[in-house]
Amino acid sequence: MASDLLSPFILENYEVHEWKHACAILKHDFSQEWDDIVEVLENFRLYRSWLTVGGGRKSKVSEAIDSRLYAKGWVEKQFQTQILVDGAKQESPTHQIDCFKNRVALEIEWNNKDPFYDRDLNNFRLLFDLRAVSVGVIITRCDHLQAIFDSLGRGPSFGASTTHMRKLLPRISGGGGGGCPILVFGISNSLYVED
């Protein structure tokens, strides 16, 4: 992994995994997007108060990350794609990407059901093959955060069938993202703040 491209803060506070030179591609070909991601991650903290409230459409964690990216020009994006076979057109829209800017797709998977990873990776694969995305990024949670959830009495809400690093890595290693370069950040307990 190109860990020399990541700041010491990121390496100390996130579990990082990279496939197909994603760091080098981001740092050198998409330097503004790289800077946006690094800045947002370096300023992110995981607040206790965010973990003690029930769910809704979007978690406080996802909201904190994507709102900072939206302020930097990132957008939610769904691509309108279609398949043409012998003149017959079939609409084939993609799933909406949480944060998109200049061919960099970023998904935040904090506490969804783990099949959401399959959806995200398939989207990265398809959009990479169509030359609409150059790099996919996923921000999720480290497995060891379960101890914090358990201590707050929220363990069942963040169970084994929800999105966390142990559920993601085999999917990527098994080729779920196809040829798309992928960078994964796992939020660790060192970012946790009692507020």
Side-chain angles (χ1 to χ4, degrees), residues 2-168:
S3 58
D4 57 320
L5 299 177
L6 291 163
S7 71
F9 182 88
I10 298 287
L11 294 172
E12 292 166 12
N13 292 283
Y14 291 88
E15 182 179 338
V16 182
H17 298 273
E18 172 191 42
W19 286 265
K20 303 183 189 309
H21 310 285
C23 283
I25 294 166
L26 280 166
K27 173 81 172 169
H28 298 291
D29 293 344
F30 300 95
S31 59
Q32 183 58 59
E33 292 73 21
W34 170 263
D35 290 345
D36 292 348
I37 293 167
V38 168
E39 182 182 331
V40 167
L41 292 177
E42 286 180 343
N43 289 296
F44 175 84
R45 298 299 178 273
L46 178 61
Y47 293 101
R48 179 185 190 277
S49 60
W50 293 352
L51 304 178
T52 57
V53 296
R57 179 176 121 46
K58 188 179 282 194
S59 73
K60 296 285 188 185
V61 170
S62 296
E63 195 173 275
I65 294 168
D66 64 20
S67 66
R68 290 179 180 140
L69 289 170
Y70 296 156
K72 296 177 176 298
W74 294 67
V75 296
E76 273 187 308
K77 174 80 172 153
Q78 181 176 19
F79 290 86
Q80 299 304 316
T81 59
Q82 53 187 255
I83 300 168
L84 185 64
V85 178
D86 292 338
K89 182 169 56 171
Q90 174 75 28
E91 297 298 322
S92 179
T94 66
H95 178 76
Q96 188 162 289
I97 295 170
D98 291 338
C99 300
F100 179 82
K101 185 178 177 186
N102 191 24
R103 297 181 51 163
V104 177
L106 186 146
E107 294 284 1
I108 304 156
E109 295 300 355
W110 173 249
N111 194 33
N112 286 318
K113 296 297 181 191
D114 67 314
F116 277 62
Y117 285 142
D118 298 319
R119 178 204 67 191
D120 295 342
L121 294 172
N122 187 56
N123 217 21
F124 288 169
R125 178 198 56 76
L126 173 67
L127 294 170
F128 178 78
D129 288 346
L130 294 172
R131 296 178 291 284
V133 164
S134 293
V135 180
V137 179
I138 296 177
I139 300 171
T140 192
R141 67 180 204 255
C142 290
D143 301 336
H144 65 254
L145 286 178
Q146 191 63 41
I148 292 173
F149 306 145
D150 292 344
S151 74
L152 297 173
R154 299 279 295 152
S157 297
F158 295 88
S161 66
T162 59
T163 49
H164 55 279
M165 193 65 77
R166 186 177 65 239
K167 294 286 189 168
L168 175 59

